[in-house]
Amino acid sequence: EDKSRKEMVEEYILYQIEASGESGIPLSALGNRIRLKFADFKVRDYGYSQFQQYIKSFPDVDLKDDGEQKWAVLRR
């Protein structure tokens, strides 16, 4: 099965958010994990200038802000 890189990245992101449970995952931690798995990941390659905008584009993901950092949370 030959998935495009974009699909692999998107699946990985959703998996990471899902695996982090109800509280979600800080965007900084999510970004770090993506860059560990996909070393050449650049959000600009996906048409976004900021990582936050890219994550916000996922239909099943909400961003929440706890005053210190932003979190990606799976929409329930």
Side-chain angles (χ1 to χ4, degrees), residues 23-48:
S23 58
I25 183 171
L27 283 188
S28 55
L30 183 58
N32 290 339
R33 289 182 188 181
I34 293 166
R35 280 184 286 279
L36 281 172
K37 186 158 176 74
F38 302 95
D40 58 351
F41 174 81
K42 289 183 186 64
V43 77
R44 289 192 186 280
D45 295 345
Y46 295 81
Y48 296 90

Side-chain angles (χ1 to χ4, degrees), residues 26-74:
L27 283 188
S28 55
L30 183 58
N32 290 339
R33 289 182 188 181
I34 293 166
R35 280 184 286 279
L36 281 172
K37 186 158 176 74
F38 302 95
D40 58 351
F41 174 81
K42 289 183 186 64
V43 77
R44 289 192 186 280
D45 295 345
Y46 295 81
Y48 296 90
S49 60
Q50 293 181 326
F51 184 62
Q52 177 180 322
Q53 292 170 321
Y54 174 55
I55 298 301
K56 213 186 267 189
S57 75
F58 283 70
D60 297 333
V61 176
D62 283 324
L63 291 184
K64 73 178 185 196
D65 191 335
D66 68 2
E68 286 180 32
Q69 57 189 346
K70 295 212 184 307
W71 295 69
V73 183
L74 219 49

Side-chain angles (χ1 to χ4, degrees), residues 4-15 34 38 40-41 46 54 58:
S4 75
R5 178 147 182 98
K6 183 174 192 273
E7 285 176 305
M8 291 189 330
V9 170
E10 288 176 1
E11 280 180 10
Y12 182 74
I13 288 170
L14 288 172
Y15 171 78
I34 293 166
F38 302 95
D40 58 351
F41 174 81
Y46 295 81
Y54 174 55
F58 283 70

